[in-house]
Coordinates of all heavy atoms in Angstrom, one line a residue:
M99 N -160.4 19.0 -9.1 CA -159.6 17.8 -8.9 C -159.8 16.8 -10.0 O -160.9 16.5 -10.3 CB -160.0 17.2 -7.5 CG -159.4 15.9 -7.3 SD -160.0 14.9 -6.0 CE -160.2 16.0 -4.6
I100 N -158.7 16.3 -10.5 CA -158.8 15.3 -11.6 C -158.6 13.9 -11.0 O -157.7 13.7 -10.2 CB -157.8 15.5 -12.7 CG1 -158.1 16.9 -13.4 CG2 -157.7 14.4 -13.7 CD1 -157.1 17.2 -14.5
Q101 N -159.5 13.0 -11.4 CA -159.5 11.6 -10.9 C -160.0 10.7 -12.0 O -160.5 11.2 -13.0 CB -160.3 11.5 -9.6 CG -161.8 11.8 -9.7 CD -162.5 11.8 -8.4 OE1 -162.1 12.6 -7.5 NE2 -163.5 11.1 -8.3
S102 N -160.0 9.4 -11.7 CA -160.5 8.5 -12.7 C -162.1 8.4 -12.6 O -162.6 8.6 -11.5 CB -159.9 7.1 -12.5 OG -160.5 6.4 -11.4
L103 N -162.7 8.1 -13.6 CA -164.2 7.9 -13.6 C -164.6 6.8 -12.6 O -165.6 7.0 -12.0 CB -164.7 7.6 -15.0 CG -166.2 7.5 -15.2 CD1 -166.9 8.8 -14.9 CD2 -166.5 7.1 -16.7
A104 N -163.8 5.8 -12.5 CA -164.1 4.7 -11.6 C -164.2 5.2 -10.1 O -164.9 4.6 -9.3 CB -163.0 3.6 -11.7
S105 N -163.5 6.2 -9.8 CA -163.5 6.7 -8.4 C -164.5 7.8 -8.2 O -164.6 8.4 -7.1 CB -162.1 7.1 -8.0 OG -161.7 8.2 -8.7
L106 N -165.3 8.2 -9.2 CA -166.3 9.3 -9.0 C -167.4 8.8 -8.1 O -168.0 7.8 -8.3 CB -166.9 9.6 -10.4 CG -167.9 10.8 -10.5 CD1 -167.2 12.1 -10.1 CD2 -168.5 10.8 -11.8
P107 N -167.6 9.6 -7.0 CA -168.7 9.2 -6.1 C -170.1 9.2 -6.7 O -170.3 10.0 -7.6 CB -168.6 10.3 -5.0 CG -167.3 10.9 -5.1 CD -166.9 10.8 -6.6
L108 N -170.9 8.4 -6.2 CA -172.3 8.3 -6.7 C -173.0 9.7 -6.6 O -172.9 10.3 -5.6 CB -173.1 7.3 -5.9 CG -174.1 6.4 -6.5 CD1 -173.5 5.6 -7.6 CD2 -174.8 5.6 -5.5
G109 N -173.6 10.2 -7.7 CA -174.3 11.4 -7.7 C -173.5 12.6 -7.9 O -174.0 13.7 -8.1
K110 N -172.2 12.5 -7.9 CA -171.3 13.7 -8.0 C -171.1 14.1 -9.5 O -170.7 13.2 -10.3 CB -170.0 13.4 -7.4 CG -169.1 14.6 -7.2 CD -169.5 15.3 -5.9 CE -168.4 16.4 -5.6 NZ -168.9 17.3 -4.6
P111 N -171.4 15.3 -9.9 CA -171.2 15.7 -11.3 C -169.7 16.0 -11.6 O -168.9 16.4 -10.7 CB -172.0 17.0 -11.4 CG -172.0 17.6 -10.1 CD -172.0 16.4 -9.1
A112 N -169.3 15.7 -12.8 CA -167.9 15.9 -13.3 C -168.0 16.1 -14.8 O -169.0 16.0 -15.4 CB -167.1 14.7 -13.0
E113 N -166.8 16.4 -15.3 CA -166.7 16.5 -16.8 C -165.5 15.7 -17.2 O -164.5 15.5 -16.5 CB -166.6 17.9 -17.3 CG -165.2 18.6 -17.0 CD -165.1 20.0 -17.6 OE1 -165.0 20.1 -18.8 OE2 -165.2 20.9 -16.8
I114 N -165.6 15.1 -18.4 CA -164.5 14.3 -19.0 C -163.3 15.2 -19.3 O -163.5 16.2 -20.0 CB -165.0 13.5 -20.3 CG1 -166.2 12.7 -20.0 CG2 -163.8 12.7 -20.9 CD1 -166.0 11.6 -19.0
V115 N -162.1 14.8 -18.9 CA -160.9 15.5 -19.2 C -160.2 14.8 -20.4 O -159.8 15.4 -21.3 CB -160.0 15.6 -18.0 CG1 -158.6 16.2 -18.4 CG2 -160.6 16.4 -16.9
S116 N -160.0 13.5 -20.2 CA -159.4 12.7 -21.3 C -159.7 11.2 -21.2 O -160.1 10.8 -20.1 CB -157.8 12.9 -21.2 OG -157.4 12.4 -20.0
V117 N -159.6 10.5 -22.3 CA -159.9 9.1 -22.4 C -158.6 8.4 -22.7 O -158.1 8.6 -23.8 CB -161.0 8.8 -23.4 CG1 -161.2 7.3 -23.4 CG2 -162.3 9.5 -23.0
L118 N -158.0 7.7 -21.8 CA -156.7 7.1 -21.9 C -156.8 5.6 -22.0 O -156.2 4.9 -21.1 CB -155.7 7.5 -20.7 CG -155.7 9.0 -20.5 CD1 -155.0 9.3 -19.2 CD2 -155.0 9.7 -21.6
T119 N -157.5 5.1 -22.9 CA -157.7 3.6 -23.1 C -157.2 3.2 -24.4 O -156.7 4.0 -25.2 CB -159.2 3.3 -23.0 OG1 -159.9 3.9 -24.1 CG2 -159.8 3.8 -21.7
D120 N -157.3 1.9 -24.7 CA -156.8 1.4 -26.0 C -157.7 2.1 -27.1 O -158.8 2.5 -26.8 CB -156.8 -0.1 -26.1 CG -158.2 -0.7 -26.0 OD1 -159.0 -0.6 -27.0 OD2 -158.6 -1.2 -24.9
S121 N -157.2 2.1 -28.3 CA -157.8 2.9 -29.3 C -159.2 2.4 -29.7 O -160.1 3.2 -30.0 CB -156.9 2.9 -30.6 OG -156.8 1.6 -31.1
D122 N -159.4 1.1 -29.7 CA -160.8 0.5 -30.0 C -161.8 1.0 -29.0 O -162.9 1.5 -29.3 CB -160.8 -1.0 -30.0 CG -160.0 -1.5 -31.2 OD1 -159.9 -0.8 -32.2 OD2 -159.6 -2.7 -31.2
L123 N -161.5 0.9 -27.7 CA -162.4 1.3 -26.7 C -162.6 2.9 -26.7 O -163.7 3.4 -26.5 CB -161.9 0.9 -25.3 CG -162.8 1.3 -24.1 CD1 -164.2 0.8 -24.3 CD2 -162.2 0.8 -22.8
K124 N -161.5 3.6 -27.0 CA -161.5 5.0 -27.0 C -162.5 5.5 -28.2 O -163.3 6.4 -28.0 CB -160.2 5.6 -27.3 CG -160.1 7.1 -27.3 CD -158.7 7.6 -27.4 CE -158.7 9.1 -27.3 NZ -157.3 9.6 -27.2
H125 N -162.4 4.8 -29.3 CA -163.3 5.1 -30.4 C -164.8 4.8 -30.1 O -165.7 5.5 -30.4 CB -162.9 4.4 -31.7 CG -161.7 5.1 -32.3 ND1 -160.4 4.7 -32.0 CD2 -161.6 6.1 -33.2 CE1 -159.6 5.4 -32.7 NE2 -160.3 6.3 -33.5
R126 N -165.0 3.7 -29.4 CA -166.3 3.3 -29.0 C -166.9 4.2 -28.0 O -168.1 4.7 -28.2 CB -166.3 1.8 -28.4 CG -167.7 1.3 -28.0 CD -168.6 1.1 -29.1 NE -169.8 0.6 -28.6 CZ -171.0 1.0 -29.0 NH1 -171.1 1.9 -30.0 NH2 -172.1 0.5 -28.6
L127 N -166.2 4.6 -27.0 CA -166.7 5.6 -26.0 C -166.9 7.0 -26.7 O -167.9 7.6 -26.3 CB -165.7 5.7 -24.9 CG -165.5 4.5 -24.0 CD1 -164.3 4.7 -23.0 CD2 -166.8 4.2 -23.3
S128 N -166.1 7.3 -27.6 CA -166.3 8.6 -28.3 C -167.6 8.5 -29.1 O -168.4 9.5 -29.2 CB -165.1 8.9 -29.3 OG -165.3 10.0 -30.0
D129 N -167.8 7.4 -29.8 CA -169.1 7.2 -30.5 C -170.3 7.3 -29.6 O -171.4 7.8 -30.1 CB -169.1 5.9 -31.3 CG -168.2 5.8 -32.4 OD1 -167.7 6.9 -32.9 OD2 -167.9 4.7 -32.9
L130 N -170.2 6.9 -28.4 CA -171.3 7.0 -27.4 C -171.4 8.4 -26.8 O -172.3 8.6 -26.0 CB -171.1 5.9 -26.3 CG -171.2 4.5 -26.8 CD1 -170.8 3.5 -25.7 CD2 -172.6 4.2 -27.2
G131 N -170.5 9.3 -27.1 CA -170.6 10.7 -26.6 C -169.7 11.0 -25.5 O -169.7 12.1 -24.9
L132 N -168.8 10.1 -25.1 CA -167.9 10.3 -24.0 C -166.6 11.0 -24.5 O -165.7 10.3 -24.9 CB -167.5 9.0 -23.3 CG -167.5 9.0 -21.8 CD1 -168.9 9.1 -21.3 CD2 -166.9 7.7 -21.3
T133 N -166.7 12.3 -24.6 CA -165.6 13.1 -25.2 C -165.1 14.2 -24.2 O -165.9 14.5 -23.3 CB -166.0 13.8 -26.5 OG1 -167.2 14.6 -26.2 CG2 -166.4 12.8 -27.6
P134 N -163.9 14.7 -24.3 CA -163.5 15.7 -23.4 C -164.5 16.9 -23.3 O -165.0 17.4 -24.3 CB -162.1 16.2 -24.0 CG -161.6 14.9 -24.6 CD -162.9 14.3 -25.2
G135 N -164.7 17.4 -22.1 CA -165.7 18.5 -21.9 C -167.1 18.0 -21.6 O -167.9 18.8 -21.2
C136 N -167.4 16.8 -21.9 CA -168.7 16.2 -21.7 C -169.1 16.0 -20.2 O -168.3 15.5 -19.5 CB -168.8 14.9 -22.4 SG -170.3 14.0 -22.1
P137 N -170.2 16.5 -19.8 CA -170.6 16.3 -18.4 C -171.0 14.8 -18.2 O -171.5 14.2 -19.0 CB -171.9 17.2 -18.2 CG -172.1 17.9 -19.4 CD -171.2 17.4 -20.5
V138 N -170.7 14.3 -17.0 CA -171.0 12.9 -16.6 C -171.3 12.9 -15.1 O -170.8 13.7 -14.3 CB -169.8 12.0 -17.0 CG1 -168.5 12.4 -16.2 CG2 -170.1 10.6 -16.8
R139 N -172.2 11.9 -14.8 CA -172.5 11.7 -13.4 C -172.7 10.2 -13.2 O -173.4 9.6 -14.0 CB -173.8 12.5 -13.1 CG -174.3 12.3 -11.6 CD -175.7 13.0 -11.4 NE -175.7 14.3 -11.9 CZ -175.7 15.4 -11.1 NH1 -175.6 15.2 -9.8 NH2 -175.7 16.6 -11.6
C140 N -172.2 9.7 -12.1 CA -172.4 8.3 -11.7 C -173.8 8.2 -11.1 O -174.0 8.9 -10.1 CB -171.3 7.8 -10.8 SG -171.6 6.0 -10.4
I141 N -174.7 7.4 -11.6 CA -176.0 7.3 -11.1 C -176.4 6.0 -10.4 O -177.4 5.9 -9.7 CB -177.1 7.7 -12.1 CG1 -177.0 6.7 -13.3 CG2 -176.9 9.1 -12.6 CD1 -178.2 6.8 -14.3
Y142 N -175.5 5.0 -10.6 CA -175.9 3.7 -10.0 C -174.6 2.8 -10.0 O -173.8 2.8 -11.0 CB -177.0 3.0 -10.9 CG -177.3 1.6 -10.4 CD1 -178.2 1.5 -9.3 CD2 -176.9 0.5 -11.0 CE1 -178.5 0.2 -8.8 CE2 -177.2 -0.8 -10.5 CZ -178.0 -0.9 -9.4 OH -178.4 -2.1 -8.9
G143 N -174.5 2.0 -9.0 CA -173.4 1.0 -8.9 C -174.0 -0.3 -8.6 O -174.9 -0.4 -7.8
A144 N -173.6 -1.3 -9.3 CA -174.1 -2.7 -9.0 C -173.8 -3.1 -7.6 O -172.9 -2.6 -7.0 CB -173.5 -3.7 -10.0
A145 N -174.5 -4.1 -7.1 CA -174.3 -4.6 -5.7 C -172.9 -4.9 -5.5 O -172.3 -4.7 -4.4 CB -175.2 -5.7 -5.4
C146 N -172.2 -5.5 -6.4 CA -170.8 -5.9 -6.3 C -169.9 -4.8 -6.6 O -168.7 -5.0 -6.5 CB -170.5 -7.2 -7.1 SG -170.7 -6.9 -8.9
G147 N -170.4 -3.7 -7.1 CA -169.6 -2.5 -7.4 C -169.1 -2.4 -8.9 O -168.5 -1.4 -9.3
D148 N -169.4 -3.4 -9.7 CA -169.0 -3.4 -11.1 C -170.0 -4.1 -11.9 O -170.4 -5.2 -11.6 CB -167.6 -4.1 -11.1 CG -166.9 -3.9 -12.4 OD1 -167.2 -2.9 -13.1 OD2 -165.9 -4.6 -12.7
P149 N -170.5 -3.5 -13.0 CA -170.2 -2.2 -13.5 C -170.9 -1.1 -12.8 O -171.8 -1.4 -11.9 CB -170.6 -2.3 -15.0 CG -171.8 -3.2 -14.9 CD -171.5 -4.2 -13.8
R150 N -170.7 0.1 -13.2 CA -171.4 1.3 -12.7 C -172.1 2.0 -13.8 O -171.7 1.9 -15.0 CB -170.5 2.3 -12.0 CG -169.9 1.6 -10.7 CD -168.9 2.4 -10.0 NE -168.9 3.8 -10.2 CZ -168.6 4.7 -9.3 NH1 -168.2 4.4 -8.1 NH2 -168.6 6.0 -9.5
A151 N -173.2 2.6 -13.6 CA -174.0 3.3 -14.6 C -173.7 4.8 -14.5 O -173.7 5.4 -13.4 CB -175.5 3.1 -14.4
Y152 N -173.5 5.4 -15.7 CA -173.2 6.9 -15.8 C -174.2 7.6 -16.7 O -174.5 7.0 -17.8 CB -171.8 7.1 -16.3 CG -170.7 6.4 -15.5 CD1 -170.3 5.1 -15.7 CD2 -170.2 7.1 -14.4 CE1 -169.3 4.5 -14.9 CE2 -169.2 6.5 -13.6 CZ -168.8 5.2 -13.8 OH -167.8 4.7 -13.0
L153 N -174.6 8.7 -16.3 CA -175.5 9.6 -17.1 C -174.6 10.4 -18.0 O -173.8 11.3 -17.5 CB -176.4 10.4 -16.3 CG -177.4 11.2 -17.0 CD1 -178.4 10.4 -17.8 CD2 -178.2 12.1 -16.1
V154 N -174.7 10.2 -19.3 CA -173.9 11.0 -20.3 C -174.8 11.5 -21.4 O -175.4 10.6 -22.1 CB -172.8 10.0 -20.9 CG1 -171.9 10.8 -21.9 CG2 -171.9 9.5 -19.8
R155 N -174.9 12.8 -21.6 CA -175.7 13.4 -22.6 C -177.1 12.8 -22.7 O -177.6 12.5 -23.8 CB -175.0 13.2 -24.0 CG -173.6 13.9 -24.0 CD -173.0 13.7 -25.4 NE -171.6 14.1 -25.4 CZ -171.1 15.3 -25.7 NH1 -172.0 16.2 -26.0 NH2 -169.9 15.5 -25.7
G156 N -177.7 12.6 -21.5 CA -179.1 12.1 -21.5 C -179.2 10.6 -21.7 O -180.3 10.1 -21.7
T157 N -178.1 9.9 -21.8 CA -178.2 8.5 -21.9 C -177.4 7.8 -20.8 O -176.4 8.3 -20.3 CB -177.5 8.1 -23.3 OG1 -178.1 8.7 -24.3 CG2 -177.5 6.6 -23.5
V158 N -177.9 6.6 -20.4 CA -177.2 5.9 -19.3 C -176.3 4.8 -19.9 O -176.8 4.0 -20.7 CB -178.3 5.2 -18.4 CG1 -177.6 4.4 -17.3 CG2 -179.2 6.3 -17.7
L159 N -175.0 4.9 -19.5 CA -174.1 3.9 -20.0 C -173.5 3.1 -18.9 O -173.2 3.7 -17.8 CB -172.9 4.7 -20.7 CG -173.2 5.6 -21.8 CD1 -171.9 6.3 -22.3 CD2 -173.7 4.8 -23.0
A160 N -173.4 1.8 -19.0 CA -172.8 0.9 -18.0 C -171.4 0.7 -18.5 O -171.1 0.3 -19.6 CB -173.5 -0.4 -18.0
I161 N -170.4 1.1 -17.6 CA -169.0 1.0 -17.9 C -168.3 0.2 -16.8 O -168.5 0.5 -15.6 CB -168.4 2.4 -18.0 CG1 -169.1 3.2 -19.1 CG2 -166.9 2.3 -18.3 CD1 -168.6 4.6 -19.2
R162 N -167.6 -0.8 -17.2 CA -166.8 -1.6 -16.2 C -165.8 -0.7 -15.5 O -165.2 0.2 -16.1 CB -166.1 -2.8 -16.9 CG -167.1 -3.8 -17.5 CD -166.4 -4.9 -18.1 NE -165.7 -4.3 -19.3 CZ -165.2 -5.0 -20.3 NH1 -165.2 -6.3 -20.3 NH2 -164.6 -4.4 -21.3
N163 N -165.5 -1.0 -14.3 CA -164.5 -0.2 -13.5 C -163.1 -0.3 -14.2 O -162.4 0.7 -14.2 CB -164.4 -0.7 -12.1 CG -165.6 -0.3 -11.3 OD1 -166.3 0.6 -11.6 ND2 -165.9 -1.0 -10.2
A164 N -162.7 -1.4 -14.7 CA -161.4 -1.6 -15.4 C -161.3 -0.6 -16.6 O -160.3 0.0 -16.8 CB -161.2 -3.0 -15.9
D165 N -162.4 -0.4 -17.3 CA -162.4 0.6 -18.4 C -162.5 2.0 -17.9 O -161.9 3.0 -18.4 CB -163.6 0.3 -19.3 CG -163.4 -1.0 -20.0 OD1 -162.3 -1.5 -20.2 OD2 -164.5 -1.6 -20.3
A166 N -163.3 2.2 -16.8 CA -163.5 3.6 -16.2 C -162.2 4.1 -15.6 O -162.1 5.4 -15.5 CB -164.6 3.6 -15.2
R167 N -161.3 3.3 -15.2 CA -160.0 3.7 -14.7 C -159.2 4.5 -15.7 O -158.3 5.3 -15.3 CB -159.2 2.6 -14.1 CG -159.8 2.1 -12.8 CD -158.9 1.0 -12.1 NE -159.6 0.3 -11.2 CZ -160.2 -0.9 -11.4 NH1 -160.0 -1.5 -12.5 NH2 -160.9 -1.5 -10.4
G168 N -159.4 4.2 -17.0 CA -158.7 4.9 -18.0 C -159.3 6.2 -18.5 O -158.9 6.8 -19.5
I169 N -160.4 6.7 -17.8 CA -161.1 7.9 -18.2 C -160.9 8.9 -17.0 O -161.2 8.7 -15.9 CB -162.6 7.6 -18.4 CG1 -162.8 6.6 -19.5 CG2 -163.3 8.9 -18.7 CD1 -164.2 6.1 -19.6
E170 N -160.2 10.0 -17.4 CA -160.0 11.1 -16.4 C -161.1 12.1 -16.4 O -161.6 12.5 -17.4 CB -158.7 11.8 -16.6 CG -157.5 10.9 -16.4 CD -156.2 11.7 -16.7 OE1 -156.2 12.7 -17.4 OE2 -155.2 11.3 -16.1
V171 N -161.6 12.5 -15.2 CA -162.6 13.4 -15.0 C -162.2 14.5 -14.1 O -161.4 14.3 -13.2 CB -164.0 12.8 -14.5 CG1 -164.5 11.8 -15.5 CG2 -163.8 12.2 -13.2
R172 N -162.8 15.7 -14.2 CA -162.7 16.8 -13.3 C -164.0 16.9 -12.5 O -165.0 17.2 -13.1 CB -162.4 18.1 -14.0 CG -162.2 19.3 -13.1 CD -161.8 20.6 -13.8 NE -160.4 20.4 -14.4 CZ -160.2 20.4 -15.7 NH1 -161.1 20.4 -16.6 NH2 -158.9 20.2 -16.1
V173 N -163.9 16.8 -11.2 CA -165.1 16.8 -10.4 C -165.5 18.2 -10.2 O -164.7 19.1 -9.9 CB -164.8 16.1 -9.0 CG1 -166.1 16.2 -8.1 CG2 -164.4 14.7 -9.2
W174 N -166.8 18.5 -10.3 CA -167.4 19.8 -10.1 C -167.7 19.9 -8.6 O -168.2 19.0 -8.0 CB -168.6 20.0 -10.9 CG -168.4 20.1 -12.4 CD1 -167.2 20.3 -13.0 CD2 -169.4 19.9 -13.4 NE1 -167.4 20.3 -14.4 CE2 -168.7 20.0 -14.6 CE3 -170.7 19.7 -13.4 CZ2 -169.4 19.9 -15.8 CZ3 -171.4 19.6 -14.6 CH2 -170.7 19.7 -15.8
D175 N -167.5 21.1 -8.0 CA -167.8 21.3 -6.6 C -169.3 21.7 -6.4 O -170.0 22.1 -7.2 CB -166.9 22.4 -6.0 CG -165.5 21.9 -5.9 OD1 -165.3 20.7 -5.7 OD2 -164.6 22.7 -6.1

């Protein structure tokens, strides 16, 4: 099932399908390792729900929900 990274449940593994954000953010996320095929897992959500922390290639990245909505992931069962 393909959904946005922002809606990925806590602890659920997925892989990046595409990054559909503005070009500056897309390049920045790519530099950080968020590329198609990359495994990702949401490991923490702030008390207010934004931002959330994601484990990507052994590194924890905090991504705002507004930005995470532009990242499509395929959830692993």
Side-chain angles (χ1 to χ4, degrees):
M99 168 194 318
I100 295 180
Q101 62 188 55
S102 77
L103 183 61
S105 64
L106 183 65
L108 217 59
K110 192 80 169 167
E113 75 176 284
I114 304 296
V115 173
S116 61
V117 180
L118 308 169
T119 62
D120 67 74
S121 64
D122 288 338
L123 180 58
K124 184 174 184 171
H125 283 90
R126 178 68 179 135
L127 292 172
S128 177
D129 289 345
L130 292 170
L132 227 68
T133 56
C136 172
V138 62
R139 179 186 309 256
C140 181
I141 60 170
Y142 180 77
C146 63
D148 195 18
R150 293 174 25 147
Y152 300 92
L153 183 62
V154 178
R155 299 183 192 267
T157 301
V158 177
L159 302 176
I161 302 175
R162 295 178 294 194
N163 288 338
D165 296 330
R167 284 187 199 99
I169 301 169
E170 292 183 333
V171 298
R172 179 176 294 112
V173 179
W174 294 342
D175 292 327

